[in-house]
Amino acid sequence: MGDRERNKKRLLELLRAAGTGNARCADCGAADPDWASYKLGVFICLHCSGVHRNFPDISRVKSVRLDFWEDGLVEVAVVLQFMTHNGNLRAKAKYEARVPAFYYIPQASDCLVLKEQWIRAKYERQEFMADGKNISLTGNREGFLWKRGRDNAQFLRRRFVLSAREGLLKYYTKEQGKSPKAAIHLKDLNATFQTEKIGHPHGLQITYRREGHTRNLFVYQESGKEIVDWFNSLRAARLQYLKAAFPELPESELVPLITRNYLKQGFMEKTGPKQREAFKKRWFALDAQERRLLYYKNPLDAFDLGQVFLGSREQGYEVSEGLPRDVQGNRWKAGLTIVTPERRFLFACPSEKEQGEWLESFRDVLSRPLTSFHLLTASTESGPSSR
């Protein structure tokens, strides 16, 4: 066995070694990472390796399987010893020693800007090391974001002010204005990165409840660090609110409630309550935490047209593949039916693949037990149901 094969065999053994955490990416948790930062001593996935390449003074990466690990290229014996001594769990203990509870740790499915800023915060700025500088983020922040107009597609510069003490996020149409255009209570606020939908790599969607509907704000910032800092400041303020509102609950139960991503989004066709109305193409977003299926005419609408509350199977909520035989007018043929105690909802998906993904997502929500919060806020649908 040559040096190359012997070195690769040793690296693969390290990847599979029990108790090292090397079987998942050190940064996003993706399974089966096949890249290594031999300067940091961690194993990472392909996507995170691309971020590491941007700061070679801190991290140097090579593919475990594709690159040459020969003595003539790097001091492989030293590198292998370093990788053996470190590994993902030890690196986590070092670089993630003091991650605040509110700070969002990205997962494999998250957008690039979240992963990039997490990696930079860990290794470049070393914000979370036990002997490092304290992270400066709090639930208070002021600055400018580019916000999409409610009735048009134009993004305009707006001043935003976040105050955890007041429990409000405000934004102003005039830079020095005294009266805010909107004052959003943290009780109803959510924030989620929606880069593809917004069409910007730093696109953030902020939502809140207003007069029985969901109001959407679409914003971005040119600086990746600035927009992620805004996101985590909103999370810090939300956690502070949740602790005050639910003092009896431990922090571990509050953290998952700070912000949430949609379980699934996409276009479907929908008919009205009589099920004789024409099917209309709508954009849908499934909020699993609040058990609500929201629908819009377009993905970037400021307000939803309506909502469908999804209870549990024990309460008589069901989802099934297909449509009733007598239903007509749907252009897309991959149908599905949601049955609630009040009525049934008929949808048509653009493909069988989309149909399968929606069915899996709906079944996931219906299988989850209801909490007292859901029972208090449940409603079948807000707004005219035929829209």
Side-chain angles (χ1 to χ4, degrees), residues 189-201:
L189 182 142
N190 184 48
T192 173
F193 276 93
Q194 298 291 319
T195 58
E196 292 187 14
K197 185 164 69 174
I198 294 174
H200 193 282

Side-chain angles (χ1 to χ4, degrees), residues 15-235:
L15 268 176
R16 294 188 286 265
T20 62
N22 296 342
R24 290 192 172 274
C25 174
D27 296 323
C28 74
D32 303 318
D34 55 4
W35 287 73
S37 170
Y38 58 87
K39 198 168 184 178
L40 294 170
V42 296
F43 291 92
I44 53 179
C45 69
L46 173 63
H47 295 293
C48 290
S49 74
V51 179
H52 280 251
R53 288 183 184 277
N54 291 330
F55 42 97
D57 292 342
I58 297 170
S59 180
R60 299 288 180 91
V61 298
K62 292 175 74 71
S63 170
V64 173
R65 293 178 172 83
L66 300 179
D67 284 335
F68 295 128
W69 291 76
E70 295 180 297
D71 293 327
L73 292 175
V74 293
E75 294 294 334
V76 174
V78 176
V79 168
L80 289 177
Q81 184 178 8
F82 181 71
M83 296 292 295
T84 303
H85 177 71
N86 287 275
N88 289 6
L89 283 184
R90 288 191 176 183
K92 181 182 180 71
K94 176 181 178 180
Y95 292 104
E96 301 179 31
R98 295 190 305 174
V99 180
F102 65 79
Y103 198 96
Y104 186 82
I105 298 177
Q107 305 300 303
S109 59
D110 281 313
C111 61
L112 179 61
V113 69
L114 275 172
K115 295 178 183 177
E116 179 185 33
Q117 292 306 313
W118 165 240
I119 292 170
R120 287 188 174 276
K122 277 207 303 183
Y123 306 119
E124 186 177 52
R125 301 192 293 270
Q126 298 185 350
E127 294 179 359
F128 314 122
M129 291 178 64
D131 57 351
K133 63 181 181 179
N134 291 326
I135 186 171
S136 59
L137 293 177
T138 67
N140 301 292
R141 193 171 190 86
E142 182 173 348
F144 292 92
L145 300 172
W146 291 91
K147 175 189 167 293
R148 191 178 192 270
R150 187 184 68 179
D151 301 317
N152 57 56
Q154 187 177 9
F155 281 86
L156 298 174
R157 192 168 181 260
R158 296 289 184 248
R159 180 166 67 97
F160 281 76
V161 178
L162 172 66
S163 172
R165 181 182 60 81
E166 294 181 328
L168 295 173
L169 172 68
K170 305 174 185 177
Y171 75 88
Y172 300 78
T173 55
K174 297 181 179 179
E175 291 191 7
Q176 302 302 323
K178 295 183 179 180
S179 299
K181 176 69 174 178
I184 305 164
H185 199 287
L186 294 176
K187 174 181 180 293
D188 301 316
L189 182 142
N190 184 48
T192 173
F193 276 93
Q194 298 291 319
T195 58
E196 292 187 14
K197 185 164 69 174
I198 294 174
H200 193 282
H202 304 159
L204 184 70
Q205 180 176 346
I206 299 171
T207 65
Y208 61 98
R209 300 287 293 170
R210 177 175 163 183
E211 298 175 354
H213 286 270
T214 295
R215 172 72 165 103
N216 300 311
L217 304 180
F218 301 101
V219 301
Y220 72 84
Q221 233 284 347
E222 294 295 349
S223 165
K225 181 180 184 302
E226 183 72 10
I227 196 65
V228 173
D229 283 352
W230 264 105
F231 177 61
N232 280 305
S233 293
L234 289 168
R235 285 178 57 84

